[in-house]
Each structure stands twice: as structure tokens, then as C-alpha cells.
Amino acid sequence: MSRTELAPDICVIGGGSGGLTVAAAAASFGVDVVLVEEGAMGGDCLNTGCVPSKALIAAARHAADARAASRFGVFVGEPAIDAAAVHAHVKGAIAAIAPHDSVGRFESLGVKVIQARARFVDARTVEAGEFRIRARRFVLATGSAPAIPPIPGLVSVSFLTNESLFDLDEIPRRLAIIGGGPVGIEMAQAFRRLGAEVVVVERGQALAKEDPELAAIALGALRREGVDLREGADVVRVAAGVGQHAVDLFLRSADGSETVVSASHLLIATGRTPRTAGLGLEAAGIDHGPGGVMVGSDLRTTNRRVYAVGDVAGGLQFTHVAGHQAGLVVRALLFRLPIRYRPEMMPRVTYTDPPLGQVGLTQAEAARNGRCEALRLPYAALDRAQAEDATDGLVKLIVGARGRILGAGVVGDKADEITNLFALAISRRMRVSALAGFVSPYPTLGEAARRLATLHYAPMARRPSVRVLLSLLRRLG
Ligand SMILES: Cc1cc2nc3c(=O)[nH]c(=O)nc-3n(C[C@H](O)[C@H](O)[C@H](O)COP(=O)(O)OP(=O)(O)OC[C@H]3O[C@@H](n4cnc5c(N)ncnc54)[C@H](O)[C@@H]3O)c2cc1C
Ligand SMILES: NC(=O)c1ccc[n+]([C@@H]2O[C@H](COP(=O)([O-])OP(=O)(O)OC[C@H]3O[C@@H](n4cnc5c(N)ncnc54)[C@H](O)[C@@H]3O)[C@@H](O)[C@H]2O)c1
């Protein structure tokens, strides 16, 4: 097959959160960019990840709010759930954002978009459809796919992943979820609120990457809402069920006891596999392993012409991380500025209700690195939380030597938004004095930041030297 030769400045492989950011930013400076995308523009986040999951969570929150309204003296009764309308809302959210990520928009920015599968044929050439692309630099942003665990019997039953879940236009009668990470836990609460019975089977601890004290509050809320969360349980076998039960899960707990969980639907949420297969990475001299493409803190692969960003580069798998890495790569490609990706600065939020946000080090991580102070403020101490009857929450601030803010974690109402404030503090390497010195509007939940900073200084007020100084000043009149 004779191919059309292209020689752009930059070739981006993958049109998801990472790839689109690189392409749009580089094109906005007039750089010649080719973008290759084999599937839907927008990648996982828009089509099968963040956007549909958050749209479903929003619908579910309205159902939960209706149920909880009686606490405030407002009686609306048990909400009726119209599954088709919920599905339409989810698809509507995707459709509203899709034009921003579309081929048309990128072409209008000056990007040449090739809709085909890309594959390296040598260290500086990629083939995609009818094109042969020899670019000055390549950016690999092919994302990740759901990891399917090797559970006996799984291949012979039908199951959902994030790639098929949002096409459901019914609410499962009984949903079993394997995996208690952010995907499993967010979806468990959403489907439970929309009327499904939900069982989550997690072989270790649910939300294990989070501060256990904060995770316990989010998971407690799920359990109170009726999610059957089974931690420390191994799925030893899966088989087709009978009658209403499409699937049976055979579980073994840590104590050796065995149980069977039957469900109408099964969701696999056991992590991700970087999309590296079929990319010709060997031909290009790009080292990779099960965790993804190997990159240094400069985001360069073992082929100096090729950078990798987002899920395919392993590490933290979030849209904002892919976008941030993309921005760093653009700075390097266009302005030759050095890159130093700092994962410790990256915030994350699990969108449970209450949500759980974290940035910087958790208390346990900080303690491993040396002495630190963990300041804690329960939501019950915040007037706004009392007014909202949203006292189920906790804010933690981890402070290191000379008052340096090392980390912060929030679980509670609007923790997702409050995390932004702490992300700024960490990214600017602020000290706790910066949080003590700003005025926060009353009554807000974000006031917690200033209140925690005040707690840091409280012991100082009890120091004898401070008392002596105060009495001296008093005597001066
Ligand atoms: C259910 C779910 C919910 C999530 N919620 C959140 C959230 O709330 N917040 C958050 O920050 N993150 C969330 N994430 C994670 C987030 O979706 C990913 O981290 C993000 O999409 C990664 O972006 P990316 O650019 O690396 O990959 P992707 O967005 O997956 O894009 C990769 C693109 O590359 C294309 N591609 C792959 N191989 C080739 C090839 N050979 N040739 C051409 N094109 C190719 C793919 O078709 C795809 O479009 C969620 C993930 C899931 C599964
Ligand atoms: N709010 C957000 O930002 C958000 C939401 C969803 C997903 N994500 C991203 O997507 C990534 C993938 O999420 P995820 O939840 O699929 O993966 P994950 O790796 O975070 O969690 C998977 C869980 O499945 C468990 N597991 C694995 N195999 C199992 C088995 N055979 N039986 C029982 N349990 C098993 C693991 O112990 C783990 O707790 C996350 O790392 C996150 O970065 C982010």
C-alpha cells in the first residue's frame, strides 16, 4: 500500500485528555501538528470515564437528596427513577462536551486529525491508515483499558466494564461489582441510590490508596445507604446463574469461609491496563512493562524523540494529571523548557457522597518521611456543616518542619471543591502561616483551612515564654 508521507513538527497518538491538550496547545502557537485517534475523540474521560460517571452520580445524588429532604422538614417521598431518562441525562452530558473535543474543532485549530490506528514502524516513523508520519517529536497518549482479572469462569459470563456500563438503559436489579477502587465505589453508590441492590467484592481494602481514617467515613456512608461491601474477599470462580440471576460469584473470605453472591449484572472494576499493545513500541525502541511506558520525570521515553503522557505512562491515572503532563511536554517541545513532573503535587478526588479529596502526602506517607504534625478538624466544628446537616466529615492537614504544608485530605460535603484550595497551597509550597493569614467568608466549609492553621499555632499561646512576653507588653501600658 502506498502511503501519503507527512512530516509535521509534532505527531500526537491518542485523542483523549492528554493528547488533545498537547494538540490544542501546540496548534494554538501555530505549530504543525498531526493527531491520530482510532476511536471516539475525547478518549475515556469524555466517553466512558469521568463525564458519564459524574453525570450518573449527579442523577443519583438527586434521588438521595429527595430521600433525605424529610430531615429538613420537606417531604417528597420515595423518588421514582426513570432509567431511560437517567441514561438520556448521561448521554446528554457527553453530547454537550463532545463538540469541544471534536474532529471539527481540532481541524479549525489547524490540527490534521487522522482517524486510524497508529503504529511505530521504526524509531521516527508512525503509520496510520493511509499515512506515513515522520515527525520531529511524537507524544504517546494512548490511555488505558479496563484490566480483566484472570478469574476462572469469567470469560464464559457476560460482564460490564466502564466501556459498556454507560450504555445500560436500565437500572440493574442486583449489581455485583468486583473491585473496590474509585470506579467500583463511585458506581456502587450511584447505582444503589438509583434503586439497585449492590454488592462490592474487594480482595483487599476498599479505597486502599486513601488515608484510612478518611476512607472509613466515605465507605461508612455507602454502607448506611445499603451497599453490601465485602472486603478481604477473593472471587475464586464465576459461573452463569439461573433464573433472574445472570451470574454467581463464589467468594472465599480471609477466614476461609465460602459464600455465593448472585446478581443480575456484573461490573468489573479491577484497575487498568496501559494501551501499549500493537503500537510497535519495540520497533521504536520504547521500553515498557505491565505498568506502562517507562518515562523519567522529564516524561521522555527511552526513545528521545518520543514523550508519553497520561494513563499509558503509568503512575497516577487522572484526567487532570494527563492534562498537566501534556502542558509540561508542550513547554518542552515549543520552548525547550526543562520538565520536572512532580506527582506529589497532584490532587485527587473520589466522587462519593461525601466526596473524598487528597493532595500531597497522607499522614502515613508523611510519617514514613520523618516527623510531622497531623491537624484534624471534624465537620461538626464548622457552622456551615451544622446548618446543612452535613456534619459527617473530617479535614486533615499534614504539616512538616518549619510549618511546611505536606498534605491535606478532606472527606465531607463539597470536599471536592475544598481540595482545590489545598492543591494551590501545596503547588505553591506554602507554609501553614499562609492559611492562617487569609480571610475566609463565613459560613463556608472552606473555612476549615484557616481553622486548621489556627490549631497549628494554638500550642504557642500556652508557651511560658509567650505568656511572659504578653505580661511585659501589658506592663508597658
Ligand atoms: C469510570 C471512570 C471514571 C473516571 N473518573 C475520573 C474522574 O472523575 N476524574 C479524573 O481525573 N479521572 C477519572 N478517570 C480517569 C481518566 O478517565 C483517565 O485518567 C484519562 O482519561 C486518561 O487520559 P489519557 O489521555 O491518558 O487517555 P484516554 O483519555 O483514554 O485517551 C487515549 C486515546 O488514545 C486512543 N488510542 C489508543 N491506542 C491508539 C492507537 N494505537 N492509535 C490511535 N489512537 C489510539 C484511544 O482510542 C483513546 O481515545 C476515570 C476513569 C474511569 C474508567
Ligand atoms: N474520581 C476519580 O478521579 C476517578 C474515578 C474512577 C477512576 N479513576 C481512575 O481510574 C483508575 C482505575 O480505577 P479502578 O477503581 O478500576 O482501579 P484501582 O486499581 O484503583 O482499584 C481496583 C481495585 O480492585 C481490586 N481488585 C483487583 N483485582 C481483584 C479481584 N480479582 N477481586 C477483588 N478485587 C480486586 C484491587 O484490590 C483494587 O482495590 C484509578 O486509578 C483512578 O486513577 C479516577
Side-chain angles (χ1 to χ4, degrees), residues 421 432-451 453-454:
L421 173 67
V432 77
S433 54
L435 293 182
F438 87 109
V439 179
S440 175
Y442 174 87
T444 55
L445 298 170
E447 254 191 294
R450 196 185 45 74
R451 295 270 302 273
T454 314

Side-chain angles (χ1 to χ4, degrees), residues 85-141:
V86 171
H87 184 243
H89 160 69
V90 170
K91 293 292 172 184
I94 297 172
I97 299 170
H100 188 261
D101 291 357
S102 65
V103 172
R105 172 164 176 264
F106 276 77
E107 285 181 342
S108 74
L109 293 173
V111 176
K112 176 160 184 61
V113 181
I114 297 173
Q115 291 182 281
R117 169 170 290 209
R119 183 176 64 93
F120 282 94
V121 289
D122 63 40
R124 58 168 308 180
T125 315
V126 157
E127 286 184 356
E130 61 185 274
F131 296 95
R132 196 176 159 82
I133 308 152
R134 277 174 77 80
R136 186 174 71 82
R137 294 285 182 267
F138 291 89
V139 181
L140 202 51

Side-chain angles (χ1 to χ4, degrees), residues 237-277:
R237 178 166 73 88
V238 169
V242 285
Q244 286 185 316
H245 298 137
V247 62
D248 288 333
L249 273 57
F250 296 82
L251 311 186
R252 187 180 302 130
S253 301
D255 63 5
S257 61
E258 298 196 355
T259 44
V260 182
V261 165
S262 299
S264 60
H265 295 71
L266 172 62
L267 170 65
I268 301 295
T270 49
R272 313 286 301 169
T273 304
R275 280 204 204 92
T276 51

Side-chain angles (χ1 to χ4, degrees), residues 76-305:
V76 290
E78 178 60 21
I81 310 293
D82 176 343
V86 171
H87 184 243
H89 160 69
V90 170
K91 293 292 172 184
I94 297 172
I97 299 170
H100 188 261
D101 291 357
S102 65
V103 172
R105 172 164 176 264
F106 276 77
E107 285 181 342
S108 74
L109 293 173
V111 176
K112 176 160 184 61
V113 181
I114 297 173
Q115 291 182 281
R117 169 170 290 209
R119 183 176 64 93
F120 282 94
V121 289
D122 63 40
R124 58 168 308 180
T125 315
V126 157
E127 286 184 356
E130 61 185 274
F131 296 95
R132 196 176 159 82
I133 308 152
R134 277 174 77 80
R136 186 174 71 82
R137 294 285 182 267
F138 291 89
V139 181
L140 202 51
T142 50
S144 64
I148 307 303
I151 299 173
L154 190 57
V155 286
S156 55
V157 300
S158 86
F159 59 83
L160 299 158
T161 67
N162 70 294
E163 292 179 349
S164 47
L165 182 68
F166 305 107
D167 291 330
L168 271 188
D169 56 4
E170 57 178 338
I171 304 299
R173 196 181 51 74
R174 187 168 161 78
L175 174 66
I177 301 176
I178 305 184
V183 173
I185 292 301
E186 286 182 0
M187 293 300 93
Q189 188 177 41
F191 278 103
R192 177 69 196 132
R193 289 175 157 199
L194 292 169
E197 289 176 24
V198 178
V199 188
V200 180
V201 183
E202 163 58 53
R203 67 178 171 198
Q205 276 183 320
L207 298 182
K209 293 169 193 160
E210 305 303 336
D211 178 324
E213 194 180 11
L214 302 180
I217 292 175
L219 296 173
L222 260 75
R223 285 194 163 103
R224 281 195 299 280
E225 290 179 16
V227 173
D228 179 358
L229 180 53
R230 308 206 185 173
E231 296 177 296
D234 249 332
V235 186
V236 289
R237 178 166 73 88
V238 169
V242 285
Q244 286 185 316
H245 298 137
V247 62
D248 288 333
L249 273 57
F250 296 82
L251 311 186
R252 187 180 302 130
S253 301
D255 63 5
S257 61
E258 298 196 355
T259 44
V260 182
V261 165
S262 299
S264 60
H265 295 71
L266 172 62
L267 170 65
I268 301 295
T270 49
R272 313 286 301 169
T273 304
R275 280 204 204 92
T276 51
L279 271 169
L281 297 182
E282 289 74 15
I286 298 171
D287 286 356
H288 63 100
V293 169
M294 317 279 189
V295 289
S297 62
D298 60 358
L299 301 173
R300 273 187 156 166
T301 68
T302 46
N303 176 337
R304 304 293 291 165
R305 279 185 194 283

